[in-house]
Amino acid sequence: MFFRSIRKLSNLVKEPIPRVCIIGSGPAGFYACQQLLKLSENVHIDILERLPVPYGLVRFGVAPDHPEVKNVINTFEKIAKNSRVRFMGNINVGQDISLEELKDNYHVVLLAYGSDQDKLLGIVGEQLGNVISGRNFVGWYNGVPSDKDLKINLNVEEAVIIGQGNVALDIARILLTSIDDLKKTDITSYALEELSQSEVKKNCTTIWRSTDFEKIKEYLPQLPRPKKRLMELMLNNLSPATFDDNKINNKKLFAPIFYRSPKEITGRDSVEKVVFSINDVVGLDFLTADAIPTCDEEEISCSLVFRSIGSKSVQIDESIPFDLCRGRVINSHGKVQNNLYATGWVATGPTGVILSTMTNAFQTGNSMKQELNVSDHKAGTKGLIKVLEKKNIPIVTFENWEKIDKAERDRGKLLGKPREKIVDVAEMLKVAFS
Ligand code: FAD
């Protein structure tokens, strides 16, 4: 009799379920979630997202003319539909809910909220008209709600992009790609309309300046194989034609220029010119040498400047240990402190691609494994919903997002493109809850 009662009681006192909350639904958040599901048979995971739509930079960063990169969404969809996972959109952590409130309801919190604040050049003239943040421009053509009203004049002949990373190259390509090709992508219609007003010419020629490559020839044998092959490719394509020759031919031109540091942007109200210091490479080993500005300068006339020198993360909650200088969460291999982890660009800074973000997220998932042996009960989703209900914050579920997804695809069909993104949060919510 006594033993039977104990058995009955132990059936009632269930094993506690490890409850994890992931902040951010970009690649880092989804891949970490995938790894945690693999590591634990009973973990329950909620993915919180600031916007009513998931996938972070896969939706809002990856260029519209690279649709194959977005295929990772198929994997993320499967993860979101796992019965132990819940996507919860329209929750801005730090504003709608504090980290403390999340810690009260979950055993572990994983910060995966990316890095979306622009780095500044810190030079005179940066505030002039038509000096545009590369990130905002990307957000504008990709439908980020806060970038949809970007003030930009594309009706110009010459644009300068400062920076030569992937984002800079995406911007150059979008400016140089024909409107007919862009029309078939998921680029926003308003961006397409504006881009068609800019100077459209038929061909695109790349101009490499042979003077930029003089030193490289000398160092070529020392370079590791992939860099060496890349350099050889560029050296074989150096063109005797100059920028001005080609301008006369009325072609679209792409001119990568090296060894330059922006010094000043000048103009009356809007940009007219960028002044660059010409740099010299100082050091014995080319790969670790520094680029040091000399007293020589080069001026480039232009009516549009993009600043594309990277981004920083923000400290969304003052209790998060944060390196303000480098703009990322302080962590050691993903661990921030007990029960608090960080992964993806918020932890590593904005470097690498989806693949490297995935590797990082898998590693962070592995280091979180020890936290999944829990002995106490936490409320998880139910607790979170209670807090948000009190604050009248509507939660967008994955099913709600699928309504937005369908509406966007349907609108796209009418225009002969894969999707026409909804760019207004209020409209997203209206469709989500329709
Ligand atoms: P993100 O993708 O930025 O995801 C972070 C998520 O957190 C976002 O959804 C954001 O809305 C959410 N969030 C932010 N703050 C909060 C908050 N307070 N509360 C709740 N949620 C929040 N890689 C490739 O492999 N191929 C490419 O072609 C490619 N193109 C790129 C183009 C651009 C312009 C950029 C910037 C990057 C590109 N990348 C590309 C890199 C790739 O996008 C990144 O490696 C990856 O997105 C980083 O993932 P993440 O999850 O750390 O950040």
Side-chain angles (χ1 to χ4, degrees):
M1 178 71 180
F2 175 69
F3 284 108
R4 204 179 297 150
S5 312
I6 288 190
R7 202 179 305 140
K8 265 191 185 164
L9 197 68
S10 67
N11 280 345
L12 283 175
V13 183
K14 281 194 191 150
E15 281 279 295
I17 291 172
R19 301 198 183 271
V20 176
C21 172
I22 298 180
I23 304 171
S25 70
F30 269 106
Y31 282 125
C33 179
Q34 187 180 35
Q35 189 66 0
L36 292 171
L37 290 172
K38 215 163 111 186
L39 293 172
S40 162
E41 278 179 357
N42 61 341
V43 66
H44 278 50
I45 304 166
D46 289 345
I47 304 180
L48 273 50
E49 168 57 49
R50 175 177 53 186
L51 288 165
V53 294
Y55 312 137
L57 286 169
V58 178
R59 176 182 165 101
F60 289 126
V62 171
D65 58 338
H66 283 171
E68 67 291 346
V69 179
K70 303 186 192 200
N71 288 343
V72 290
I73 286 177
N74 298 332
T75 305
F76 300 162
E77 262 175 6
K78 276 192 200 136
I79 299 169
K81 289 185 172 176
N82 185 301
S83 58
R84 290 185 282 143
V85 176
R86 242 174 220 253
F87 168 79
M88 302 171 87
N90 196 43
I91 305 170
N92 191 346
V93 177
Q95 197 173 302
D96 298 335
I97 189 155
S98 69
L99 186 61
E100 207 49 49
E101 286 169 307
L102 292 178
K103 282 179 172 172
D104 286 346
N105 287 292
Y106 296 87
H107 294 99
V108 199
V109 176
L110 173 62
L111 310 170
Y113 60 86
S115 94
D116 60 4
Q117 203 184 56
D118 223 25
K119 270 191 191 155
L120 297 176
L121 294 164
I123 58 172
V124 172
E126 197 169 0
Q127 312 309 328
L128 281 170
N130 241 17
V131 177
I132 306 287
S133 136
R135 290 274 300 196
N136 292 150
F137 181 64
V138 170
W140 175 76
Y141 66 63
N142 271 335
V144 174
S146 55
D147 290 329
K148 68 177 194 303
D149 299 318
L150 182 75
K151 280 202 175 74
I152 181 169
N153 174 12
L154 285 168
N155 197 3
V156 301
E157 287 219 354
E158 277 174 32
V160 165
I161 304 171
I162 298 174
Q164 282 193 0
N166 293 353
V167 178
L169 294 183
D170 278 355
I171 293 172
R173 214 181 51 256
I174 293 297
L175 291 173
L176 295 168
T177 301
S178 80
I179 292 299
D180 283 343
D181 287 341
L182 287 179
K183 252 186 207 164
K184 299 170 205 146
T185 73
D186 68 359
I187 193 167
T188 50
S189 287
Y190 59 77
L192 198 66
E193 173 68 27
E194 282 290 317
L195 283 163
S196 65
Q197 308 294 318
S198 80
E199 293 290 308
V200 181
K201 293 159 193 161
K202 279 198 175 106
N203 307 301
C204 179
T205 307
T206 300
I207 305 286
W208 304 99
R209 284 177 172 178
S210 42
T211 45
D212 285 356
F213 291 84
E214 274 162 9
K215 282 204 170 173
I216 305 277
K217 284 182 198 158
E218 192 184 315
Y219 290 104
L220 206 59
Q222 293 175 27
L223 297 179
R225 208 173 132 74
K227 275 218 163 72
K228 191 173 165 201
R229 288 194 59 191
L230 189 67
M231 285 302 168
E232 281 169 346
L233 193 73
M234 290 197 268
L235 285 168
N236 291 339
N237 282 287
L238 294 184
S239 138
T242 63
F243 196 77
D244 288 334
D245 293 341
N246 279 281
K247 235 167 54 180
I248 294 162
N249 291 340
N250 203 28
K251 284 181 170 180
K252 273 188 177 184
L253 296 179
F254 173 56
I257 299 174
F258 299 85
Y259 303 112
R260 299 290 181 273
S261 295
K263 207 173 169 188
E264 189 183 354
I265 302 174
T266 63
R268 266 173 154 246
D269 301 317
S270 193
V271 50
E272 290 169 19
K273 195 164 66 182
V274 187
V275 183
F276 291 93
S277 299
I278 300 179
N279 297 334
D280 194 12
V281 176
V282 178
L284 291 177
D285 177 359
F286 185 72
L287 287 178
T288 55
D290 287 323
I292 306 288
T294 64
C295 295
D296 297 329
E297 290 179 350
E298 175 176 9
E299 295 181 356
I300 300 182
S301 300
C302 60
S303 317
L304 173 60
V305 169
F306 293 98
R307 178 182 59 226
S308 183
I309 55 163
S311 57
K312 295 202 263 186
S313 285
V314 289
Q315 188 182 23
I316 56 167
D317 188 293
E318 60 181 21
S319 68
I320 297 174
F322 201 82
D323 181 340
L324 285 170
C325 228
R326 297 168 86 197
R328 66 178 88 156
V329 171
I330 299 169
N331 69 97
S332 167
H333 303 290
K335 183 163 182 173
V336 182
Q337 49 190 226
N338 282 349
N339 308 324
L340 183 65
Y341 287 74
T343 194
W345 280 14
V346 75
T348 62
T351 55
V353 287
I354 295 171
L355 191 69
S356 45
T357 302
M358 178 187 82
T359 308
N360 178 255
F362 285 173
Q363 284 163 351
T364 312
N366 290 340
S367 20
M368 289 168 73
K369 190 180 175 192
Q370 56 187 353
E371 311 275 359
L372 304 178
N373 289 324
V374 297
S375 51
D376 58 332
H377 289 271
K378 293 268 186 182
T381 320
K382 279 186 190 158
L384 176 69
I385 291 175
K386 250 189 210 167
V387 178
L388 293 171
E389 266 175 3
K390 265 192 207 153
K391 299 181 187 181
N392 277 328
I393 293 162
I395 301 167
V396 172
T397 63
F398 201 72
E399 292 71 37
N400 295 143
W401 145 247
E402 284 179 318
K403 286 192 185 172
I404 301 177
D405 188 33
K406 183 173 181 313
E408 289 187 344
R409 286 175 196 272
D410 288 349
R411 291 177 193 193
K413 242 181 231 159
L414 298 175
L415 300 167
K417 54 200 288 212
R419 107 176 26 243
E420 178 63 29
K421 286 181 191 162
I422 299 176
V423 296
D424 181 71
V425 171
E427 194 184 349
M428 285 176 181
L429 293 177
K430 200 171 154 199
V431 175
F433 300 126
S434 61

